[in-house]
Amino acid sequence: MNSPITVYVPRDASALSLGADKVARAIVAEAKARNLDVQLVRNGSRGLFWLEPLVEVATPAGRVAYGPVKARDVAGLFDAGFLDAGEHPLALGLTEEIDYLKRQQRLTFARAGITDPLSLADYIAHDGYRGLKRALAIGSEAIIAEVLESGLRGRGGAAFPTGIKWRTVAGCEAAQKYIVCNADEGDSGTFSDRMVMEDDPFVLIEGMTIAALAVGATEGYIYLRSEYPHAEAALQATIATANAEGYLGDDILGSGKAFHLHLRRGAGAYVCGEETSLLESLEGKRGEVRPKPPLPAIEGLFGQPTVINNVISLASVPIILDKGGAYYKDYGMGRSLGTLPIQLTGNIARGGLIELAFGITLRELLYDYGGGSASGRPIRAVQVGGPLGAYLPEAQFDTPLDYEAFAALGAVLGHGGIVVFDDTVDMADMARYAMEFCAIESCGKCTPCRIGSTRGEELLEQIIVARSEGPQPGRIELLKSLCDTMLGASLCALGGMTPYPVLSALNHFPEDFGVSQDAAEAR
Amino acid sequence: MATLPQRFDPEQYQAVTREVLAAHRDEPGALLPILHDIQDRLGAVPPEVLPLIAEDLCLSRAEVHGVVSFYHDFRASPPGRVHLKLCQAEACQSMGAKALTAELQEKLGLQLGETRPDGSLTLEAVYCLGNCACAPNAMLNGELHGRVDVEDLLDLLEEQEARV
């Protein structure tokens, strides 16, 4: 009897949302009916979401891909001999040779889609836990030096240098320190955190463990949003495995160092993605924002020094420790070093995860990778950086993805999410929605955000109703003044950045607000 | 997701609450996990259990109420047996989520945030399910569905209603 042929069907939530479980069941049933020996592996996703469910077959030449596969295609795939890389209309050739994937620079996502996310053996076989071993060998100061050298900046959106945060916590004297992972990925247009947690969860656990060694923390929390049940299951399973195998717990790999990792589920509050609000929530309180200072690095969770980092920041640490800060720093431009996992979403033909060095332009992403809009209509606007990010018009599509280049435009890179809109979008309505979302999600602590968002939504409703009757300079002035107050006087980014999408929509698309282009430029 | 009772037996919910509180006794800042565990088992956090929680955690009832009411996830009564969440965030809007929502609301005779009087269906808004490259998205009794249209959703609802 021949050895079984390995077939991969992703277990990632996106693949599941498009029927991957049905495809997997159909493959098993069809193989059995045909008396073929197939070993099914539920891998992570490669992040080529227009091709999901993406089925792969291991062949002597490498893994070959078929997609997007529906359950009803499965019998035909067997007929076409897909187990021997047979020709079929859904055949995509060698997975690694798919242009969209081949042109990427996958560092943080090196294993995503390749391994079985729940298998520690698979993780280790693909260079996993090499960073932790080196970290244990070199000790706290040298770990922090590597992270500083790498130039890694917080990938959650604020882009604060990770190494400096760690150095601050390491320098604090305290009986207890904490590592907190911000996995409250609430921004529309983002899913890279979710992909790490579902498709390669050990890399996050390893990154948090290295952070703990660096600063002398023994307790850690992952604060995960409740909208991610698959990520929760994957983390529960892998944390249990890591504990059982000595990668977490009282004595990490026989080093005598302890790190206990806990998983906490959020409860549907967007504002808890703000770090101080998240800490309040972890303490069992309303997720209201704390004034800063004190910084969480000095007085964080339960008043103790706390490293709080985004999933992607922490998941980038293992490769930095494994290959060195200098290796990571070689990617990128200016002060934006390393790679950024970009999420191309919304009205786009080929949406997915694109991990690349900083510096690629929006235009290359939208057209070379994304293939233009999904609807086939012209792309009119993109929102970069989540609900608090600015809208960019076509005139700005040549901007390179770089923190400073975006800041110069009054925009943000944020968590690397790009939402694409075609020419049917009503930008005044998107501005109204930004205010509405802020009103729904405001924690209520500060007045500019709590009241400003509601007044802003009302004002934009009035503008939309009256826009066909000609310019309304009074309302537009009032909106700008309100945005100015929110920008300057809000306690956190929710109220403070909601004006970004509102003002960018107004400035770049004044015609949607009943203001002529000329009139807008004159102001 | 289990089929959820529409009415609580006070003895049952008190017993569940005590069990949950005992399980989290030594955990710092455990209020959210406690509330989640109660809701996972009862389908809701009934207002009647708040005094029990407050006493156990040495908090005031107002503090516990403040936390419960802060978070969108916690509900005072269970959702319908079929629970459909429709994403309303930007990426889904770019793929027609607003028109989809309007059409579905009309076909079902139910608005976002409402539950049918017979407890068969709850329709709810959600802001991002993390599947933004496959918009528009919906979550049906905890299962994610991508690139949905009205016909898909009506089929899925029918299938789910038959199941529960």
Side-chain angles (χ1 to χ4, degrees):
Chain A
M1 179 136 184
N2 293 329
S3 57
I5 295 170
T6 307
V7 176
Y8 299 85
V9 180
R11 62 191 310 149
D12 174 278
S14 279
L16 297 179
S17 82
L18 302 168
D21 274 346
K22 281 184 187 162
V23 171
R25 283 196 295 270
I27 288 172
V28 170
E30 199 66 37
K32 200 175 167 202
R34 294 173 190 237
N35 211 10
L36 293 167
D37 197 4
V38 164
Q39 186 202 4
L40 183 72
V41 173
R42 300 305 298 270
N43 58 332
S45 173
R46 303 268 189 169
L48 317 178
F49 289 126
W50 79 101
L51 296 174
E52 291 286 3
L54 182 81
V55 174
E56 291 179 82
V57 182
T59 75
R63 279 158 70 163
V64 294
Y66 296 83
V69 177
K70 295 209 175 295
R72 62 169 178 268
D73 300 321
V74 168
L77 284 168
F78 275 90
D79 290 342
F82 86 123
L83 294 179
D84 300 308
E87 260 316 308
H88 186 275
L90 298 177
L92 300 160
L94 290 167
T95 315
E96 304 281 349
E97 295 296 318
I98 297 173
D99 201 41
Y100 194 95
L101 191 60
K102 194 180 180 184
R103 286 195 286 160
Q104 297 192 30
Q105 292 153 314
R106 291 215 166 171
L107 304 184
T108 307
F109 282 84
R111 276 170 297 269
I114 295 174
T115 54
D116 170 355
L118 305 187
S119 163
L120 178 61
D122 225 3
Y123 182 67
I124 291 169
H126 289 82
D127 297 341
Y129 276 123
R130 289 166 53 116
L132 176 65
K133 286 185 181 144
R134 176 144 180 269
L136 282 166
I138 64 177
S140 165
E141 268 181 49
I143 298 171
I144 293 170
E146 285 288 11
V147 176
L148 282 168
E149 165 76 12
S150 74
L152 179 66
R153 292 164 72 180
R155 297 286 189 258
F160 187 81
T162 304
I164 292 179
K165 208 181 251 189
W166 289 18
R167 193 171 60 191
T168 308
V169 176
C172 291
E173 289 291 329
Q176 181 66 59
K177 297 178 189 177
Y178 295 99
I179 307 296
V180 173
C181 170
N182 183 346
D184 196 35
E185 183 180 52
D187 287 357
S188 177
T190 63
F191 46 72
S192 61
D193 293 355
R194 179 184 64 70
M195 282 188 67
V196 164
M197 296 184 285
E198 290 180 359
D199 302 338
D200 196 20
F202 281 112
V203 80
L204 174 59
I205 298 171
E206 184 182 354
M208 290 184 74
T209 311
I210 294 169
L213 292 171
V215 305
T218 54
E219 297 286 327
Y221 288 89
I222 299 172
Y223 185 91
L224 174 68
R225 67 196 299 257
S226 61
E227 291 84 351
Y228 285 180
H230 299 285
E232 185 174 332
L235 285 169
Q236 269 170 351
T238 45
I239 289 171
T241 303
N243 273 307
E245 301 295 327
Y247 288 90
L248 283 174
D250 291 325
D251 182 15
I252 296 162
L253 297 182
S255 65
K257 308 245 197 236
F259 183 55
H260 305 106
L261 183 55
H262 313 276
L263 179 61
R264 282 281 181 89
R265 196 196 306 163
Y270 174 75
V271 75
C272 288
E274 196 283 332
E275 60 181 13
T276 63
S277 159
L278 188 155
L279 295 174
E280 289 286 299
S281 187
L282 271 181
E283 291 180 10
K285 301 173 189 160
R286 291 164 68 87
E288 287 183 358
V289 174
R290 296 177 185 170
K292 287 192 270 194
L295 293 171
I298 292 160
E299 278 183 47
L301 186 62
F302 302 112
Q304 301 300 308
T306 301
V307 166
I308 177 162
N309 281 143
N310 167 259
V311 173
I312 299 295
S313 315
L314 289 162
S316 301
V317 166
I319 194 166
I320 290 170
L321 264 291
D322 178 18
K323 303 211 168 165
Y327 171 84
Y328 189 77
K329 186 180 158 182
D330 262 357
Y331 296 85
M333 66 179 278
R335 289 173 50 220
S336 302
L337 300 173
T339 58
L340 179 68
I342 299 151
Q343 301 122 86
L344 195 52
T345 76
N347 197 331
I348 188 84
R350 296 194 294 265
L353 180 94
I354 303 166
E355 183 176 356
L356 282 173
F358 287 90
I360 187 169
T361 66
L362 277 172
R363 195 179 299 282
E364 291 171 88
L365 286 167
L366 296 173
Y367 298 100
D368 296 353
Y369 282 88
S373 72
S375 62
R377 303 181 66 94
I379 295 175
R380 183 164 185 234
V382 298
Q383 186 179 30
V384 183
L388 308 176
Y391 286 99
L392 285 81
E394 222 232 309
Q396 294 181 335
F397 285 178
D398 292 311
T399 310
L401 266 69
D402 164 79
Y403 292 122
E404 278 67 39
F406 267 64
L409 293 177
V412 289
L413 214 44
H415 188 48
I418 300 174
V419 182
V420 181
F421 294 84
D422 72 12
D423 63 350
T424 61
V425 66
D426 175 349
M427 293 308 295
D429 192 53
M430 296 317 296
R432 186 204 56 76
Y433 170 78
M435 286 290 192
E436 178 193 356
F437 184 71
C438 182
I440 294 169
E441 299 296 341
S442 175
C443 83
K445 181 100 167 180
C446 74
T447 316
C449 174
R450 184 183 69 244
I451 307 287
S453 54
T454 300
R455 292 291 97 87
E457 187 189 350
E458 292 165 358
L459 194 52
L460 278 154
E461 271 167 14
Q462 291 164 9
I463 290 171
I464 290 168
V465 168
R467 64 185 164 184
S468 57
E469 296 155 18
Q472 24 188 345
R475 287 197 181 111
I476 297 289
E477 277 313 307
L478 193 56
L479 180 65
K480 287 183 174 176
S481 162
L482 177 67
C483 283
D484 188 51
T485 303
M486 290 176 73
L487 269 168
S490 298
L491 207 47
C492 83
L494 179 50
M497 286 175 60
T498 293
Y500 280 54
V502 175
L503 292 175
S504 58
L506 176 62
N507 290 335
H508 300 308
F509 307 95
E511 60 276 21
D512 287 16
F513 294 75
V515 181
S516 75
Q517 184 78 49
D518 293 347
E521 274 166 12
R523 267 195 303 275
Chain B
M1 194 180 286
T3 307
L4 304 166
Q6 294 300 301
R7 284 213 174 71
F8 297 110
D9 166 6
E11 277 183 28
Q12 184 215 357
Y13 66 63
Q14 290 190 7
V16 165
T17 305
R18 290 210 174 84
E19 270 176 47
V20 168
L21 287 167
H24 291 281
R25 182 112 316 143
D26 301 318
E27 206 176 309
L31 185 50
L32 259 72
I34 287 168
L35 295 172
H36 271 307
D37 282 1
I38 291 171
Q39 182 154 305
D40 284 350
R41 292 178 59 178
L42 297 176
V45 181
E48 293 86 343
V49 307
L50 302 192
L52 290 177
I53 300 171
E55 194 188 340
D56 192 86
L57 298 180
C58 298
L59 296 170
S60 70
R61 283 164 67 172
E63 283 170 304
V64 178
H65 174 76
V67 171
V68 173
S69 59
F70 182 86
Y71 295 96
H72 299 305
D73 281 1
F74 299 126
R75 39 197 320 140
S77 58
R81 291 182 291 279
V82 176
H83 190 181
L84 180 65
K85 297 180 183 181
L86 278 180
C87 184
Q88 303 295 306
E90 290 90 339
C92 285
Q93 286 188 40
S94 79
M95 290 300 284
K98 280 182 109 174
L100 173 73
T101 304
E103 198 182 339
L104 192 72
Q105 286 183 148
E106 202 196 316
K107 290 226 157 109
L108 296 173
L110 203 63
Q111 301 295 302
L112 290 179
E114 290 182 352
T115 299
R116 275 193 185 139
D118 66 357
S120 61
L121 175 66
T122 292
L123 202 56
E124 220 167 59
V126 66
Y127 295 89
C128 198
L129 294 164
N131 197 26
C132 313
C134 307
N137 286 290
M139 193 171 256
L140 181 63
N141 284 13
E143 264 184 42
L144 182 62
H145 298 276
R147 291 196 199 112
V148 291
D149 59 27
V150 171
E151 283 69 41
D152 293 338
L153 288 173
L154 292 173
D155 286 350
L156 285 166
L157 283 173
E158 204 173 304
E159 207 176 284
Q160 196 68 30
E161 273 166 13
R163 211 186 292 176
V164 296

